[in-house]
């Protein structure tokens, strides 16, 4: 039995191998591999660590020289992925920690793709819903750290389609969105019951039906693009 104890910033791994195929290899480009190596085929197959010359470190399972199965990849930038790999790509259930926050859900071809993925941003905001091609696409709920929230449709990461916004101050908007702004038919209701119902464009009420005749201009929160 051979044992490997690996310590890297953000990664701690301990492997025991019941075989004699463990190798410590340094490549001409400066990369280093420590782990199970098939000397007959000349490929990394099994468990091990691969440290890239750029500073990235992968620890986990390999198949035909590529990360395959469960593993952890720590980028030199600080981004870290923990989960399932398929021939070098994030594929299946995983967790991605980066400068934006923490995403937990499924991946396809290296990008977030899930009917119910979740990301908690460093700001304290939380989104839970559908992801496609690495972006919010489909139905989801976005809750701001201050308690404001949106639930409805997304396209390419922005609110688009029918949705509902509510603020902790009691304001509500129910209607259509486009490109992250209120656009199309909708209804805005204030905390004290004043409402504007009709057409919106670029976040502004164009007019149709209103309980107040002194409205003029855009809404305060029309610029929020979550």
């Amino acid at each position: 039995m051979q044992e490997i104890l690996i310590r890297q910033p953000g990664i701690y791994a301990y492997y025991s191998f019941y075989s004699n195929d463990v190798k410590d290899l340094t490549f001409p480009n400066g990369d280093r591999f420590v782990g199970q190596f098939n000397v007959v085929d000349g490929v990394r197959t099994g468990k091990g660590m691969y440290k890239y010359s750029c500073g990235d470190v992968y620890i986990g399972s390999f198949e035909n020289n590529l990360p395959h199965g469960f593993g952890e990849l720590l980028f030199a930038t600080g981004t870290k992925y923990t989960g399932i790999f398929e021939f070098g790509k994030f594929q299946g259930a995983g967790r991605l920690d980066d400068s934006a926050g923490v995403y937990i859900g499924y991946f396809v071809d290296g990008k977030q793709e899930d009917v119910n993925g979740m990301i908690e941003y460093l700001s304290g905001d939380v989104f839970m819903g559908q992801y496609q091609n690495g972006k919010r696409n489909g139905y989801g709920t976005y809750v701001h750290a201050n308690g404001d929230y949106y639930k409805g449709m997304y396209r390419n990461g922005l609110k688009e389609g029918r949705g509902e916004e509510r603020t902790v101050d009691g304001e509500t908007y129910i209607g259509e969105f486009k490109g992250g702004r209120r656009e199309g038919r909708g209804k805005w209701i204030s905390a004290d019951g004043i409402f504007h119902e009709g057409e919106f464009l670029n976040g502004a009420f164009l007019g149709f039906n209103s309980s107040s005749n002194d409205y003029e201009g855009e809404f305060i929160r029309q610029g929020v693009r979550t």
Side-chain angles (χ1 to χ4, degrees):
M1 182 181 72
Q2 297 192 36
E3 299 177 341
I4 295 178
L5 176 61
I6 299 169
R7 287 190 181 94
Q8 292 291 333
I11 294 180
Y12 180 90
Y14 180 84
Y15 289 132
S16 295
F17 300 110
Y18 291 89
S19 62
N20 295 316
D21 56 359
V22 175
K23 301 295 181 182
D24 188 339
L25 305 173
T26 300
F27 300 92
N29 64 354
D31 292 358
R32 182 190 176 199
F33 171 74
V34 180
Q36 292 177 297
F37 187 81
N38 188 322
V39 293
V40 175
D41 298 326
V43 295
R44 299 182 292 277
T45 298
K47 295 179 180 179
M49 177 202 77
Y50 196 100
K51 186 172 184 179
Y52 300 85
S53 58
C54 64
D56 298 348
V57 179
Y58 170 78
I59 296 178
S61 297
F62 289 83
E63 181 72 31
N64 198 27
N65 281 335
L66 295 172
H68 187 78
F70 183 82
E72 187 168 83
L73 177 60
L74 176 65
F75 294 90
T77 58
T79 295
K80 182 169 68 174
Y81 171 81
T82 305
I84 305 302
F85 289 78
E86 187 172 296
F87 296 111
K89 294 182 177 181
F90 308 159
Q91 186 83 10
R95 169 178 171 144
L96 182 66
D97 295 69
D98 60 19
S99 59
V102 178
Y103 168 84
I104 299 175
Y106 281 81
F107 293 78
V108 174
D109 288 332
K111 296 180 179 180
Q112 293 101 321
E113 188 126 356
D114 200 334
V115 295
N116 197 30
M118 184 186 77
I119 183 167
E120 183 173 352
Y121 295 93
L122 296 182
S123 63
D125 296 356
V126 176
F127 172 80
M128 181 175 290
Q130 293 177 292
Y131 278 85
Q132 187 177 27
N133 201 30
K135 295 182 178 180
R136 300 189 292 266
N137 276 290
Y139 184 84
T141 300
Y142 193 109
V143 182
H144 295 266
N146 70 349
D148 295 351
Y149 75 86
Y150 167 82
K151 59 180 180 180
M153 302 303 295
Y154 282 86
R155 183 179 181 185
N156 292 327
L158 297 175
K159 293 175 285 191
E160 185 143 340
R162 188 162 183 82
E164 176 182 333
E165 283 183 329
R166 290 182 183 271
T167 72
V168 292
D169 298 328
E171 294 182 3
T172 302
Y173 171 81
I174 302 173
E176 298 297 317
F177 290 81
K178 185 175 182 180
R181 297 176 183 269
R182 299 165 184 171
E183 188 157 323
R185 187 169 181 83
K187 183 176 183 178
W188 175 86
I189 308 170
S190 70
D192 54 9
I194 296 174
F195 72 89
H196 304 292
E197 183 174 13
E199 293 297 318
F200 290 75
L201 179 64
N202 199 28
F205 178 60
L206 298 181
F208 181 74
N209 186 22
S210 177
S211 62
S212 174
N213 295 321
D214 57 2
Y215 170 79
E216 182 178 355
E218 298 185 355
F219 288 105
I220 294 174
R221 297 188 59 78
Q222 62 88 17
V224 177
R225 298 171 66 86
T226 57

